[in-house]
Amino acid sequence: MRCLEWRVMREAGFTEQRIPPALDGGRITSRPFLKKILFCIFGGHVIFLVPTKIDLKKKKKKKGNHMGDARDWDEDGYRRSILSERELQCRTVFRTAFAPNNPRNDDVLVVASSDGSVAPYDLSSSSALHLNKIRGQQSLLDIPVAEPMCCLNAHKGPAYDVKFYGDGDDSLLLSCGDDGRICGWRWNDISISDESMPMQGIHLESVLELVNPQHQGPWDALSPIPETNAIAVNKQEGSIFSATGDGCAYCWDVETSKRTMTFRGHSAYLHCVVARKSSNQIITGSEDGTARIWDCRSGQCVKVIHPQKGCKLTDSYSYVSCVAVDKYERWLVCGSGRNVSVWSLPACELILSFENKSSVQDVLINDNQILVVGAEPVLTRMHINGEDFSKIQCAPPSAFSVSLHPSGVTAVGGYGGLVDIVSEFGSHLCTFRCSCS
């Protein structure tokens, strides 16, 4: 042990003839400590700088070199930059939606993010952010940040879904979030170019605001406002439907902003809802592992669907994370765990089911194709009979949203605040990271 102690001392500049003094001896005999000692605080650590003669010579030779000079160090700025970088990397895109198809905003994509913001992005300008291909070895931090047309501070907490009510100039942009509110803005007020409009963090007054009801408990105590996880619209009936965290779905009248119907029957909170306009029905998916078809006239459940039925892989804890219907409303696709099931709505029968490699988080039907995204950076295109068309590598490590433009262009959004725009042929048109504060 004593040899080890002397070895450490020798490396520090001491010898057996120059025994270091006691800490409380009051004198210093070691010449290395006669020099000026500088120290700085870097990232919470104290760093001592002991300049030597060699260092001083180098400093004279290289004038203007500030490497190692901590006198101008901005600790607060460093912390802010690290925090901003972490927030940007941890932002999640929960939903994307293409704006109504008209010449003025043909290439506008609206994004709902985990910071509660709702922001439209002009894809025609974002095409300058083109990346040739997303490769596994490419760092996600290298993906450029896109500036939105504007940024709405929509919700206190994450914004989970966005939808458009109507297709014309009088259409409304709807969003829902963790605060249990559905907010609506006139799309014309947002899409009209105005140089005086600030780019980020604006508070544009909403023309529609719907709040989920609170439930009364013992001693007249009120429950928290349940979150709204998804919304669906039926313009023909003038209705908005919400899937909420209290296990209920609600029907809202757009003109009066009043709740007209409550759909009760699920035993756990709801993940998703889709409207079946031709039959005046809605279909909900829940954490209880079932999907239910509801009659909007009576508010009664007409059919209970078990997506795990007939699946080869049965998860220990199943839930219905997403549902989708085709434009003719004859087919229903349910995502439950890693399983995808296809149902015939007229017959209410299971047609087929197949397994995905990861948990399914969003599905979409385009003609005879099913688009699937989940907890992996892959967009899967398959035929409605279950045969794979293609698997396209995407930027988000975990994708939560897939949306389709009438031209066939697909938008995939997910973790990291990343959005990947994919053509109908599978090539990447542009990839960008959302930025809104």
Side-chain angles (χ1 to χ4, degrees):
M1 178 66 70
R2 181 174 179 79
C3 294
L4 182 60
E5 292 177 354
W6 280 116
R7 180 181 176 184
V8 174
M9 291 180 185
R10 282 196 300 270
E11 292 178 356
F14 298 103
T15 64
E16 294 185 11
Q17 288 76 24
R18 295 167 61 191
I19 300 176
L23 294 178
D24 55 351
R27 63 189 182 91
I28 297 176
T29 60
S30 176
R31 293 189 63 183
F33 289 91
L34 295 177
K35 301 182 183 294
K36 184 178 180 181
I37 298 178
L38 302 177
F39 71 93
C40 66
I41 300 176
F42 182 81
H45 301 282
V46 179
I47 300 175
F48 291 92
L49 304 175
V50 183
T52 62
K53 294 182 179 180
I54 299 177
D55 294 331
L56 293 175
K57 289 180 180 179
K58 288 183 178 180
K59 206 166 189 180
K60 291 179 181 179
K61 290 180 180 179
K62 297 183 179 180
K63 293 183 178 180
N65 185 6
H66 298 286
M67 295 297 293
D69 189 353
R71 289 174 294 180
D72 297 329
W73 175 254
D74 185 2
E75 179 70 16
D76 293 336
Y78 173 75
R79 292 178 181 274
R80 285 194 299 269
S81 65
I82 293 297
L83 181 60
S84 177
E85 182 181 350
R86 293 294 182 269
E87 289 178 347
L88 189 63
Q89 294 176 16
C90 296
R91 179 177 289 124
T92 301
V93 173
F94 284 115
R95 191 68 62 195
T96 60
F98 284 97
N101 193 14
N102 60 63
R104 188 174 64 247
N105 47 31
D106 187 39
D107 298 323
V108 174
L109 181 73
V110 181
V111 174
S113 302
S114 57
D115 60 354
S117 65
V118 174
Y121 290 84
D122 186 359
L123 298 183
S124 59
S125 62
S126 297
S127 61
L129 307 175
H130 172 71
L131 297 178
N132 293 329
K133 287 185 178 180
I134 301 300
R135 299 295 186 186
Q137 64 269 20
Q138 185 177 11
S139 173
L140 296 179
L141 297 178
D142 296 335
I143 296 178
V145 178
E147 291 294 336
M149 298 167 56
C150 65
C151 185
L152 302 173
N153 292 328
H155 299 278
K156 295 179 179 179
Y160 291 134
D161 200 1
V162 286
K163 289 288 190 303
F164 281 93
Y165 180 85
D167 298 325
D169 292 337
D170 60 342
S171 60
L172 296 177
L173 172 62
L174 305 175
S175 72
C176 67
D178 194 63
D179 57 2
R181 287 171 167 78
I182 300 175
C183 300
W185 300 268
R186 291 188 180 90
W187 178 240
N188 263 351
D189 297 342
I190 300 174
S191 61
I192 294 177
S193 178
D194 186 358
E195 295 181 357
S196 63
M197 178 179 288
M199 289 294 295
Q200 298 194 9
I202 69 170
H203 181 75
L204 185 64
E205 194 68 28
S206 60
V207 297
L208 180 71
E209 186 169 343
L210 311 173
V211 184
N212 289 331
Q214 295 175 275
H215 301 283
Q216 191 169 3
W219 299 287
D220 296 330
L222 294 177
S223 68
I225 299 176
E227 71 275 13
T228 302
N229 296 316
I231 51 178
V233 299
N234 187 346
K235 182 70 183 299
Q236 299 173 358
E237 301 294 330
S239 302
I240 299 174
F241 303 96
S242 59
T244 64
D246 59 0
C248 298
Y250 298 105
C251 176
W252 305 85
D253 183 77
V254 176
E255 291 187 3
T256 62
S257 299
K258 292 184 178 180
R259 180 165 43 93
T260 59
M261 188 79 67
T262 301
F263 305 91
R264 292 188 176 91
H266 285 288
S267 60
Y269 66 87
L270 306 186
H271 285 284
C272 49
V273 60
V274 65
R276 192 184 178 196
K277 305 178 184 68
S278 60
S279 304
N280 199 13
Q281 296 175 336
I282 62 170
I283 304 172
T284 55
S286 172
E287 185 75 7
D288 61 12
T290 65
R292 291 175 179 255
I293 303 177
W294 306 85
D295 182 12
C296 295
R297 299 179 184 88
S298 63
Q300 300 298 315
C301 176
V302 297
K303 182 68 177 179
V304 179
I305 295 175
H306 297 273
Q308 294 287 342
K309 176 182 177 182
C311 294
K312 296 180 181 179
L313 177 66
T314 303
D315 293 341
S316 58
Y317 188 68
S318 61
Y319 59 94
V320 180
S321 57
C322 48
V323 294
V325 297
D326 67 320
K327 64 179 180 180
Y328 301 110
E329 299 180 348
R330 295 176 300 188
W331 301 102
L332 169 68
V333 177
C334 299
S336 178
R338 287 189 287 166
N339 298 308
V340 179
S341 57
V342 181
W343 298 74
S344 170
L345 284 175
C348 288
E349 292 182 356
L350 175 66
I351 303 302
L352 61 94
S353 63
F354 47 90
E355 178 187 344
N356 195 47
K357 289 186 178 180
S358 62
S359 297
V360 179
Q361 295 176 158
D362 199 15
V363 294
L364 190 65
I365 304 179
N366 178 30
D367 294 333
N368 291 325
Q369 290 187 31
I370 301 175
L371 281 65
V372 181
V373 295
E376 59 177 345
V378 174
L379 167 64
T380 302
R381 289 176 172 175
M382 60 184 64
H383 195 272
I384 202 165
N385 61 10
E387 296 179 359
D388 283 353
F389 275 160
S390 63
K391 290 184 178 293
I392 304 170
Q393 193 78 10
C394 296
S398 180
F400 289 90
S401 171
V402 56
S403 55
L404 189 67
H405 191 270
S407 64
V409 174
T410 305
V412 178
Y415 183 76
L418 298 174
V419 176
D420 208 351
I421 308 298
V422 183
S423 73
E424 58 181 328
F425 305 107
S427 60
H428 295 271
L429 299 179
C430 71
T431 306
F432 61 91
R433 191 186 299 272
C434 298
S435 172
C436 189
S437 59

